[in-house]
Structures are given as C-alpha cells and as structure tokens.
C-alpha cells in the first residue's frame, strides 16, 4: 500500500473518530439538558405545591375558630343577613360573592329596585355570602370581604357597606380584598362605620368561620354559581327576560295574592 493511501485511510479514520466524539458530546449535552429541565420542573412544581399548601394552611387558620354569626343574622344556622321588614310578604334570597363580577353586574342593575322594594316594606332581602372565587381563582378576598360585611352588619351598616364593596370591586384576578387594610379603607365611605370595634372585627376575622359555614351551605345547595337569586323560592336569575321592572312587577303581584 502506498504512503498516500495509508495517509488517506488514517485521515478518514481520524475524521470518523472526531465525528463520533462530536456525536457523543452532543448526546451528553442533550442528556444534561433533559436532566436539568426535569430538575427545574420538579423544583417549580415543589414551589407551586408549597404556595398552595401555605394558602391551604392559611385558609384553615382563618376559618378554624368558633362560628360567630353577625348581629341579627337568622335562618338555618343563622347564615342569613336580612335586609328590610321581617314581615314583608315577598322574600328575595341572594347568594353573592364580593369578588364575583357577575354579582357586581347584578347589583349594578337591580340595586335601586331592591332598595326601593325593601325600603317600602314590600320585600325582604336575605343575603347569603359565598367564597366561590377564592376556591376557583385562589386567594382569600372573598372570605375577608364577607367577614368585613358581617362586621358591618354588627354595626348596623351592612347594606351601605355591601354596596360599597361591589361598587369598588377589584378585577376578578386581583385579590385586593384579601388586604384588611383595603376593607377598612372602604369602610370610610360609610358614615360611622370606621370604628375601633369594626377594625378589630375585620382584623381578627371574627366571622371567618361563619362565612366558611355559609359557603359550605351553598356547596350543599345544588346551585351552580353566583349570583343565585330566588324570589319566594323561585330561581329568577336564570330567566333571560328578567329585568328590574319585571322583578318589581312580580313582587307587587305576589304581594296581592
């Protein structure tokens, strides 16, 4: 074999060896990247689980105390906050979540009519508070806002504060109502509500367990979402033809019966 042929074969072997080494190096880097990505995913998952666990622990802490109903609450297990004359012939039952955008839409449209009917003694409104958005979106704003509303009920200011909470509702994805400071700040919009007693009630979560009990009642009710609005036991929110004027007419007709 000529020197030239030997040199050519040696060069070919060297090129082949170099290519194989290049492939081994590439495969090694690929394996390292896969392992590294897996580690990152595991760490990220662990972090998410840690946050969820922390939130779950917080929720358990927030609702672990005795069930203390707000002043004047009635109904089964005292889970209803009544507004209006107790002997009114018609009753509007409203399940609401202070973080729920659909609840805000309902309130914006129907509030003047509901106030008119309750103020005139034609209607009693039974409010039942829910923490559905906390469960769906995470956070604790529904719970804290409902507790603050119950504290306002203790002070005889539920209706006004209820309206303020919906008028100032943050977007659904922002858990601003988890901040008790924000809830106390909004109390300043209701004359006479921002007192030491109200602040302590809010900051202590005095009615958190009561709110949790109310939400549990909603989960057992068979209703699917908020708001759920019943007039004398009939679900009227599902009626696509319902308007504030129609609600007023239905109450007036029911009261004539």
């Amino acid at each position: 074999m000529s020197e030239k042929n030997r040199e050519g074969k040696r060069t070919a072997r060297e090129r082949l060896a170099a290519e194989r080494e290049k492939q081994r190096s590439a495969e090694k880097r690929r394996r390292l990247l896969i392992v590294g990505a897996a580690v990152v995913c595991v760490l990220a998952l662990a972090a998410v689980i840690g946050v969820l666990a922390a939130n779950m622990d917080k929720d358990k802490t927030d609702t672990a105390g005795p069930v203390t109903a707000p002043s004047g609450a009635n109904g089964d297990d005292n889970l209803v906050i009544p507004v209006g004359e107790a002997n009114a012939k018609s009753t509007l039952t409203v399940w609401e979540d202070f973080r729920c955008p659909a609840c805000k839409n309902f309130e914006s449209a129907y509030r003047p009519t509901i106030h008119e009917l309750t103020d005139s003694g034609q209607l009693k409104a039974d409010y039942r508070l829910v923490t559905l958005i906390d469960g769906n979106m995470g956070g604790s704003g529904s719970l804290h806002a409902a507790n603050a509303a119950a504290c306002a009920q203790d002070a005889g200011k539920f209706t006004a504060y209820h309206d303020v909470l919906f008028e100032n509702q943050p977007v659904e994805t922002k858990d601003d109502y988890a901040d008790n400071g924000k809830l106390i700040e909004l109390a300043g919009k209701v004359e006479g509500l921002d007192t030491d007693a109200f602040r302590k009630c809010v900051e202590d979560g005095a009615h958190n367990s009561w709110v949790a009990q109310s939400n549990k009642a909603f989960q057992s009710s068979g209703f699917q979402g908020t708001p759920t609005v019943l007039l004398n036991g009939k679900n009227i929110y599902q009626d696509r033809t319902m308007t504030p004027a129609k609600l007023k007419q239905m109450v007036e007709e029911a009261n004539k019966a």
Side-chain angles (χ1 to χ4, degrees):
M1 182 181 294
S2 67
E3 185 63 29
K4 183 177 181 180
N5 287 340
R6 282 196 297 271
E7 182 63 28
K9 288 184 177 181
R10 184 166 57 249
T11 302
R13 285 195 300 271
E14 289 173 352
R15 284 201 302 270
L16 182 59
E19 182 63 26
R20 287 174 176 170
E21 181 61 28
K22 182 179 178 181
Q23 291 176 354
R24 282 195 294 270
S25 297
E27 179 63 20
K28 183 178 181 181
R29 285 195 301 272
R30 189 181 70 83
R31 287 197 300 268
L32 288 173
L33 286 172
I34 292 173
V35 172
V39 170
V40 170
C41 289
V42 170
L43 291 175
L45 180 59
V48 170
I49 291 172
V51 171
L52 291 174
N55 287 336
M56 289 175 64
D57 288 341
K58 184 177 184 298
D59 289 343
K60 288 178 181 177
T61 300
D62 282 343
T63 60
V67 177
T68 304
S71 176
N74 60 26
D76 293 342
D77 297 324
N78 291 324
L79 296 178
V80 171
I81 294 180
V83 174
E85 297 292 335
N87 60 354
K89 290 186 177 181
S90 289
T91 299
L92 190 74
T93 303
V94 185
W95 296 84
E96 288 184 318
D97 183 326
F98 288 109
R99 288 181 68 188
C100 164
C103 297
K104 179 178 180 177
N105 292 340
F106 168 77
E107 285 293 331
S108 297
Y110 286 83
R111 181 184 301 130
T113 300
I114 293 173
H115 283 339
E116 177 188 347
L117 293 172
T118 54
D119 291 346
S120 63
Q122 298 179 71
L123 180 71
K124 177 169 69 78
D126 285 349
Y127 289 96
R128 305 185 64 127
L129 306 183
V130 179
T131 60
L132 190 65
I133 304 300
D134 284 357
N136 292 344
M137 302 293 294
S140 57
S142 300
L143 170 65
H144 285 217
N147 171 69
C151 294
Q153 169 68 10
D154 288 337
K157 307 282 185 178
F158 172 80
T159 301
Y161 188 63
H162 161 276
D163 294 351
V164 164
L165 287 175
F166 278 116
E167 288 166 0
N168 293 272
Q169 183 189 79
V171 297
E172 187 179 13
T173 53
K174 290 189 176 181
D175 196 22
D176 291 359
Y177 282 172
D179 179 6
N180 287 331
K182 177 66 175 178
L183 297 170
I184 291 171
E185 175 189 333
L186 290 175
K189 295 179 178 290
V190 178
E191 185 178 358
L193 179 57
D194 187 7
T195 63
D196 290 342
F198 175 79
R199 287 178 174 236
K200 178 174 173 53
C201 182
V202 171
E203 291 169 348
D204 290 350
H207 300 298
N208 281 355
S209 295
W210 175 84
V211 175
Q213 193 76 8
S214 179
N215 188 66
K216 184 177 179 181
F218 175 77
Q219 292 174 329
S220 302
S221 68
F223 299 127
Q224 299 300 312
T226 53
T228 291
V229 186
L230 312 174
L231 178 61
N232 298 326
K234 179 181 178 181
N235 193 332
I236 63 170
Y237 192 71
Q238 295 176 334
D239 182 353
R240 295 183 179 275
T241 68
M242 185 59 58
T243 64
K246 183 175 180 179
L247 170 62
K248 183 178 179 179
Q249 181 182 5
M250 290 175 69
V251 169
E252 291 173 345
E253 291 177 354
N255 290 349
K256 292 177 182 177

